[in-house]
Amino acid sequence: MTRILLRNKLDDCLAAWQKAGFSVLAPVKRHEMSTFGEVQKASDMALDLVLTERTIKDHFFPQTEPLIKYKIGKHQIDSETMTPPERKRVFFGVRPCDASGLAIDDPLFGWDYKDDYWFRRRDNSVIVTIACSQADDFCMCTSVKLSPDSSKGADVLLRPLSDGSGWQVEAVSDRGTALLETISSLLQESSAETAPLPQVAEKFDVEKVMEWLADPASFESQFWKDISLRCVGCGSCTFLCPTCHCFDIQDEGDTYQGIRRKNWDSCSFPLFTMHTSGNNPRNTQSTRWRQRIMHKFNYYRGKFGVNSCSGCGRCTRQCPVDMGITETLQAISNLPR
């Protein structure tokens, strides 16, 4: 016997969490785009999507974020740190690949400097993952050693019941256990069967990919020029990725006052590595594409022991020239050794 949450109890569930002081965010369709947004009732949710177009990363690492306000006086400079508000949040209906993305980025934001902006939001958020019951041709979680019911990055894991009436409930963390206590009266014991997981074929051999990338000879390979010819450098793959985390710091204002902001950046852009001198060490799209692949499957793993990819497939699904990283990783897997 396991605990289950029925769909017809969702409105009561949301009310209980809201009463406990949580804002609830879930998949929604707004302005012709699917994303995570705040919901008040179950009918606001779009839980049957394979995957939202935007990731929950947007709510932990915003596209633009003020860091400090400053004012320059005649004899002093006054500054004020601008921190995110203390706000308890439940993210309901997160897919395993998106939850995994948060866990993959945690060590980066807590490495040589702890990013309080990231961890303030992480510490005040509970991630309720729903295991996938469907997948499309772009999904590739199994290729990066994850799965449609991975609990990585989740606080609570829900597995859909075979009859579609609700979900089997599993607490994955202490935070998840505490959240379930707020709705304990809505959960019931059941031996109902869970729905079968979708079959997500492995699209490439990630071990072969990592082996080739680690070979110094791969850095100057003609492969990069050939594989990147279609890339237009639009950056959509990086902005839609649940693990990409590059940013720039810019001051906005005038001579006397302004705001310092952290803004998303992308290794796909020529300006990303442009020096003040005018020199650009990555002055072609092929070198920028090489950096993207090397970073995700070589450099990041060397630093943090994990690849910077959760297998969501958005980079290929949303690419305007039908490229993405899957094609590149498949090609690397098939290179002669």
Side-chain angles (χ1 to χ4, degrees):
M1 299 286 283
T2 57
R3 290 186 296 176
I4 64 169
L5 172 65
L6 295 175
R7 278 183 180 265
N8 61 17
K9 297 291 186 182
L10 262 186
D11 279 324
D12 295 332
C13 183
L14 296 184
W17 287 336
Q18 290 159 353
K19 184 178 180 180
F22 289 96
S23 298
V24 182
L25 294 90
V28 294
K29 291 182 179 179
R30 291 178 181 166
H31 310 297
E32 300 184 358
M33 176 172 285
S34 56
T35 184
F36 272 78
E38 190 165 346
V39 297
Q40 301 299 324
K41 53 187 185 298
S43 59
D44 295 337
M45 301 181 185
L47 295 178
D48 295 328
L49 297 170
V50 172
L51 197 63
T52 55
E53 292 167 283
R54 300 298 296 255
T55 78
I56 59 170
K57 177 185 77 174
D58 298 11
H59 296 277
F60 295 86
F61 174 42
Q63 195 159 356
T64 182
E65 176 169 42
L67 302 178
I68 60 171
K69 274 193 306 191
Y70 61 88
K71 190 172 184 178
I72 302 174
K74 188 173 183 179
H75 300 292
Q76 65 181 26
I77 299 176
D78 296 319
S79 64
E80 177 187 347
T81 301
M82 304 174 73
T83 55
E86 293 281 355
R87 181 186 176 205
K88 297 197 302 181
R89 304 179 297 180
V90 172
F91 287 84
F92 185 88
V94 181
R95 292 301 183 201
C97 50
D98 274 357
S100 298
L102 297 177
I104 289 170
D105 276 353
D106 279 341
L108 180 281
F109 285 108
W111 170 40
D112 57 343
Y113 170 80
K114 184 175 181 180
D115 190 312
D116 290 334
Y117 296 84
W118 171 269
F119 285 106
R120 181 183 290 242
R121 294 184 173 101
R122 287 287 276 132
D123 293 343
N124 286 310
S125 299
V126 187
I127 309 300
V128 181
T129 296
I130 296 182
C132 300
S133 56
Q134 55 182 334
D136 62 19
D137 292 339
F138 301 103
C139 295
M140 57 175 194
C141 57
T142 55
S143 301
V144 293
K145 307 304 182 186
L146 294 171
S147 67
D149 65 342
S150 172
S151 62
K152 184 173 183 175
D155 296 300
V156 176
L157 176 61
L158 304 182
R159 292 184 173 88
L161 300 179
S162 57
D163 62 4
S165 62
W167 305 272
Q168 185 185 91
V169 178
E170 176 189 352
V172 181
S173 70
D174 292 342
R175 196 178 297 168
T177 299
L179 183 75
L180 293 181
E181 287 176 359
T182 65
I183 59 166
S184 58
S185 63
L186 303 176
L187 304 178
Q188 62 186 63
E189 296 290 327
S190 173
S191 57
E193 293 185 356
T194 56
L197 295 174
Q199 296 298 309
V200 181
E202 289 195 19
K203 294 177 170 59
F204 53 86
D205 186 330
V206 72
E207 297 295 335
K208 288 184 178 180
V209 168
M210 293 188 296
E211 177 188 358
W212 188 79
L213 294 176
D215 183 350
S218 69
F219 193 80
E220 297 294 347
S221 172
Q222 177 66 28
F223 171 84
W224 300 113
K225 294 180 180 179
D226 296 339
I227 200 70
S228 64
L229 287 174
R230 294 204 314 277
C231 182
V232 295
C234 68
S236 66
C237 54
T238 55
F239 283 3
L240 295 173
C241 175
T243 63
C244 279
H245 48 258
C246 291
F247 62 87
D248 191 15
I249 302 291
Q250 296 183 343
D251 290 344
E252 300 174 353
D254 55 31
T255 306
Y256 303 104
Q257 60 186 350
I259 295 177
R260 178 162 292 174
R261 287 186 172 274
K262 178 164 64 176
N263 300 318
W264 283 4
D265 207 342
S266 170
C267 60
S268 296
F269 299 154
L271 285 177
F272 185 74
T273 48
M274 178 67 76
H275 295 179
T276 307
S277 66
N279 177 59
N280 191 341
R282 295 190 210 128
N283 59 356
T284 64
Q285 203 57 40
S286 63
T287 58
R288 293 189 281 273
W289 187 248
R290 177 186 64 196
Q291 167 62 23
R292 177 163 168 73
I293 303 300
M294 282 284 192
H295 174 76
K296 285 190 167 295
F297 293 92
N298 188 13
Y299 307 149
Y300 198 87
R301 169 167 283 277
K303 191 75 178 177
F304 301 114
V306 63
N307 290 325
S308 182
C309 175
S310 64
C312 71
R314 283 187 183 89
C315 56
T316 305
R317 194 182 284 107
Q318 304 294 338
C319 179
V321 294
D322 191 27
M323 191 172 161
I325 67 172
T326 308
E327 177 183 328
T328 299
L329 300 176
Q330 288 173 328
I332 293 175
S333 292
N334 294 325
L335 287 173
R337 296 300 196 271

